[in-house]
Amino acid sequence: MSVLQAMALPAMPQRQPQPTKEFLNTPEKQGTPRAPWMAVRAPPPPAGTRWGLGGTCVNVGCIPKKLMHQAALLGGAIRDAGRYGWEVAQPARHDWSKMAEAIQNHVRSLNWGHRVQLQERKVKYLNVKARFIDKHTVLGVSKDKKETLLSADHIVIATGGRPRYPTLIQGASEYGITSDDIFWLKESPGKTLVVGASYVALECAGFLTGLGLDTTIMIRSIPLRGFDQQMASLVTDHMASHGTRILRGCTPSRVARLPDGRLQVTWEDRTCGKEDSGVFNTVLWAIGRVPETRGLNLEGAGVETNPESQKILVDARDTTSVPHIYAIGDVAEGRPELTPTAIMAGKLLAQRLFGGSSDLMDYSNVPTTVFTPLEYGCVGLSEEEAVARHGQEQIEVYHAYYKPLEFTVAEQDASQCYIKMVCLRQPPQPVLGLHFLGPNAGEVTQGFALGIKCGASYEQVIRTVGIHPTCAEEMVKLRISKRSGLDPTVTGC
């Protein structure tokens, strides 16, 4: 019994006369139990960027994003250093090429590390493009057009997704890039327009601004759809007050290259119905992601998808419409598009298939953090979701505006540093959702996520002794509810 990971093949290649066959521990050919891994690289994006083993998170997601975010935070720390007594020449100059080389070298080390781990665990890695032939067989095609047929009792689809390009905007794919490309640029993107309001859009716009680049973000409707909207507004307010230009209610209509190589973007301002334009060095599309399913010939295996999203329909056991084919991660319908969620789901699936376990993945109360300049961490329900589920009168929201100690000497603006805890109103007031906007939000949220996963109540939280002086302790000091109408601004230390 074996598990395969298959990725997308855009079109069926010319068949070779006699493809190699590998029967992976199936009744036709028994062998030493192992989990061969068919990892297949999807086609490069329109900009042609390529990367190594490890998927989106390692190559074009979490890892390079967090490192560029850190680079931007260091720039802010350098500006604040003078107030702490450091004599630092201002303004400090940032070298994109040096940063990019260091980050890309780290990513390549992770690529190599993953390959070594596969070898150490006797996992067979095939760098091929794949598609289903039938419900038990996958055809893999290598770069030199060599074909391999693989058959298995269990198949796992974990192909993830790719950034979406707009299809109706002239020049979008010819001249624009996405998050698949920004982290592999060897030279600075210069003046940049980021189109979109997703967490990817806000994160990219945030670190580009922090690195000293002229950055504009174009938002069609609302930022951070699916997140708590009060928190989303505070995130964008902070970005706007720290140098990111935000165009609200605007939609691009065309992108053209000027003789000097710059890009002229034309858009409609739907707030006034007028057309406007601007000139940029780079246009980055961050308007959502699409699953890598279209080239897998899922219909040939009988695997059903949502016709609108193209994501694979799965049940609580991550099983598709075909009992021995599974789907985990971003490619599965209704799952959080988060790498740690997919990793956990994959581990639990392997334990169920080969370890005698019956444990299922719990997709509720999954914590996450948006790494904008002022980080936003959350776990559980948004305030809107809690009200929709339980009713306004059954909800109590405790909140506070606070000032991190680190901001005081540097005289940083803390007007968007905010916390709220969404609880049921009746004692012991179980915590339904927790939202934190401030420094190191990911570290803070990760700790409290365990408590919420274990069913923590507001009464338990406020009986927890805080660690002083930290931002996290403001969580256990929450006393003022929105219902009270009192000023939630924290005073004192």
Side-chain angles (χ1 to χ4, degrees):
M1 295 184 180
S2 304
V3 180
L4 290 96
Q5 178 187 8
M7 290 187 73
L9 179 65
M12 188 73 171
Q14 183 69 35
R15 293 293 303 272
Q16 301 260 338
Q18 293 184 336
T20 303
K21 294 183 179 180
E22 292 191 31
F23 297 96
L24 305 176
N25 300 320
T26 60
E28 292 87 351
K29 183 177 180 179
Q30 298 294 330
T32 303
R34 61 180 181 175
W37 178 288
M38 186 175 171
V40 217
R41 191 165 304 148
T49 308
R50 296 174 180 269
W51 51 86
L53 187 64
T56 297
C57 178
V58 169
N59 294 283
V60 290
C62 316
I63 299 301
K65 177 270 303 288
K66 180 70 180 294
L67 291 173
M68 289 194 177
H69 170 64
Q70 174 65 13
L73 292 181
L74 287 172
I78 291 170
R79 290 189 292 275
D80 292 341
R83 293 187 178 274
Y84 281 93
W86 290 96
E87 295 183 2
V88 181
Q90 300 287 356
R93 177 182 174 274
H94 181 261
D95 186 330
W96 175 282
S97 298
K98 184 177 291 187
M99 173 196 70
E101 181 181 11
I103 292 174
Q104 291 161 12
N105 285 341
H106 175 66
V107 169
R108 290 188 183 97
S109 74
L110 297 177
N111 298 150
W112 176 252
H114 286 307
R115 187 180 291 270
V116 170
Q117 289 178 31
L118 292 177
Q119 293 173 346
E120 290 176 347
R121 289 162 175 77
K122 294 180 170 53
V123 175
K124 187 171 185 178
Y125 167 63
L126 300 176
N127 189 349
V128 296
K129 295 178 182 178
R131 64 181 289 145
F132 282 93
I133 299 301
D134 56 45
K135 63 182 180 180
H136 278 291
T137 310
V138 173
L139 171 68
V141 182
S142 64
K143 288 189 293 185
D144 60 4
K145 305 302 182 183
K146 179 182 178 182
E147 295 183 354
T148 303
L149 285 175
L150 299 108
S151 180
D153 291 334
H154 300 286
I155 300 175
V156 178
I157 304 171
T159 54
R162 298 291 286 272
R164 183 193 305 273
Y165 269 87
T167 56
L168 300 178
I169 297 175
Q170 181 181 342
S173 60
E174 293 92 335
Y175 305 124
I177 65 171
T178 69
S179 58
D180 274 1
D181 312 298
I182 186 71
F183 303 113
W184 289 90
L185 295 179
K186 296 187 182 301
E187 302 295 333
S188 170
K191 183 180 180 182
T192 302
L193 172 66
V194 179
V195 182
S198 64
Y199 71 89
V200 174
L202 299 187
E203 289 174 338
C204 289
F207 70 66
L208 290 173
T209 301
L211 296 175
L213 300 178
D214 185 339
T215 307
T216 300
I217 184 167
M218 184 178 292
I219 297 176
R220 181 187 61 181
S221 54
I222 62 172
L224 294 178
R225 186 180 299 277
F227 288 84
D228 187 284
Q229 283 302 292
Q230 181 188 10
M231 306 303 291
S233 294
L234 289 169
V235 167
T236 53
D237 288 348
H238 180 271
M239 292 178 65
S241 67
H242 286 73
T244 303
R245 181 190 180 201
I246 300 179
L247 298 175
R248 297 180 182 273
C250 297
T251 55
S253 55
R254 61 184 178 274
V255 182
R257 186 180 294 281
L258 299 175
D260 63 4
R262 293 183 299 165
L263 303 175
Q264 183 174 44
V265 181
T266 303
W267 64 84
E268 179 189 358
D269 187 336
R270 298 194 299 170
T271 62
C272 62
K274 295 182 179 180
E275 188 175 82
D276 203 347
S277 65
V279 176
F280 305 88
N281 299 110
T282 300
V283 176
L284 191 154
W285 304 106
I287 57 173
R289 298 178 66 84
V290 292
E292 283 280 13
T293 55
R294 294 180 186 272
L296 293 177
N297 189 31
L298 295 175
E299 60 277 12
V303 175
E304 295 180 0
T305 61
N306 180 324
E308 294 184 3
S309 69
Q310 296 298 311
K311 291 193 172 189
I312 298 171
L313 302 177
V314 292
D315 62 14
R317 300 179 63 83
D318 300 312
T319 307
T320 71
S321 52
V322 180
H324 65 275
I325 300 179
Y326 309 87
I328 58 174
D330 295 11
V331 79
E333 181 74 16
R335 302 306 193 216
E337 295 186 358
L338 298 167
T339 298
T341 309
I343 292 173
M344 179 69 74
K347 289 179 178 178
L348 292 174
L349 174 59
Q351 290 166 9
R352 289 196 301 273
L353 292 177
F354 306 115
S357 172
S358 60
D359 290 345
L360 299 179
M361 176 66 188
D362 181 1
Y363 288 98
S364 64
N365 293 326
V366 173
T368 190
T369 292
V370 182
F371 289 99
T372 39
L374 194 63
E375 299 174 7
Y376 167 36
C378 61
V379 58
L381 301 181
S382 67
E383 186 174 349
E384 295 92 342
E385 289 171 330
V387 169
R389 187 174 299 186
H390 299 282
Q392 185 71 56
E393 290 305 310
Q394 302 304 315
I395 298 299
E396 198 75 83
V397 178
Y398 296 92
H399 65 149
Y401 286 95
Y402 69 101
K403 187 162 191 173
L405 181 62
E406 298 89 336
F407 283 24
T408 55
V409 172
E411 298 183 2
Q412 288 190 46
D413 176 24
S415 55
Q416 285 89 31
C417 291
Y418 179 73
I419 304 169
K420 71 174 171 182
M421 187 179 297
V422 183
C423 309
L424 284 176
R425 195 175 180 185
Q426 293 299 316
Q429 297 186 285
V431 179
L432 302 175
L434 187 112
H435 304 267
F436 178 94
L437 187 57
N440 305 304
E443 313 299 336
V444 174
T445 306
Q446 181 71 80
F448 281 95
L450 173 60
I452 293 176
K453 196 76 172 177
C454 294
S457 68
Y458 172 71
E459 293 182 1
Q460 291 172 320
V461 172
I462 63 173
R463 288 200 300 269
T464 301
V465 177
I467 300 173
H468 187 70
T470 63
C471 294
E473 73 172 316
E474 301 299 338
M475 291 283 199
V476 303
K477 292 162 58 178
L478 290 172
R479 296 294 187 275
I480 295 175
S481 69
K482 283 190 174 183
R483 193 184 305 274
S484 73
L486 298 175
D487 182 359
T489 303
V490 174
T491 58
C493 67

